[in-house]
Amino acid sequence: MELSKEDCLRMYFYQSRLATFSGWPFDEDCACTSENMAKAGFIHTPSDNSPDVAQCFFCFKELEGWEPQDDPEKEHQSHSPTCHFIMLKKSVEELTTEELFKLQKERQKFHIKKICNQGIEKFKEAAKSRRGDIIKKAMEG
């Protein structure tokens, strides 16, 4: 799920993240309620096959296969220990403009890394396919 610049800035705020959790399969008597998920920086990014996919709006870490007892904050910290959003010691509303700009710079680094990794994976898949074609041709000849 690619967010527009405007939506990205909105996602710094809890209510905007919470609004993405329409149809979230976990509610009362669960640790991973939509409220706790949003507090931990997640947005709901379901697919047809996975209704419980959630992604950190900041570090782009996607997690699925949630269990009712999973603590979103602990899961986020264990799967993405370098996420600056989950490490914040104060609320977004308390950040100075300078702190917010620094935070946004770190988010951009995560975004660039994600895009580069996707490109590398596509290249590896294409190389593997091409290698298979070359081997097949060599066997025929």
Side-chain angles (χ1 to χ4, degrees):
M1 175 177 170
E2 200 66 35
L3 297 173
S4 70
K5 272 188 183 181
E6 217 174 85
D7 286 340
C8 160
L9 292 174
R10 280 192 203 116
M11 291 305 144
Y12 276 97
F13 299 97
Y14 166 78
Q15 289 298 331
S16 296
R17 294 189 305 276
L18 183 61
T20 68
F21 280 88
S22 174
W24 181 246
F26 301 98
D27 49 18
E28 294 142 22
D29 301 323
C30 293
C32 58
T33 61
S34 54
E35 291 84 3
N36 289 339
M37 295 293 289
K39 284 177 190 168
F42 289 108
I43 57 175
H44 189 203
T45 56
S47 67
D48 291 339
N49 300 345
S50 301
D52 70 338
V53 178
Q55 179 184 54
C56 173
F57 87 97
F58 190 87
C59 70
F60 303 96
K61 183 67 174 178
E62 272 191 350
L63 298 176
E64 62 182 308
W66 291 90
E67 301 288 333
Q69 70 278 7
D70 288 340
D71 179 318
E73 192 169 321
K74 286 180 182 171
E75 292 295 324
H76 193 170
Q77 287 171 332
S78 74
H79 290 277
S80 189
T82 60
C83 178
H84 291 72
F85 185 81
I86 199 69
M87 293 188 292
L88 275 179
K89 302 295 181 218
K90 54 184 173 180
S91 73
V92 171
E93 291 81 4
E94 297 172 313
L95 294 173
T96 65
T97 303
E98 182 180 357
E99 290 170 324
L100 189 59
F101 278 132
K102 284 180 181 177
L103 200 57
Q104 187 61 8
K105 179 177 110 182
E106 293 304 320
R107 183 183 182 278
Q108 288 302 318
K109 288 179 186 178
F110 279 110
H111 190 247
I112 290 166
K113 186 176 180 181
K114 177 186 175 192
I115 290 170
C116 288
N117 286 338
Q118 287 172 340
I120 289 168
E121 285 307 309
K122 283 182 183 177
F123 179 81
K124 284 179 180 178
E125 288 172 24
K128 185 178 178 181
S129 174
R130 186 69 180 132
R131 188 176 305 117
D133 293 345
I134 292 169
I135 291 169
K136 188 176 169 184
K137 288 263 190 217
M139 299 292 217
E140 291 172 359

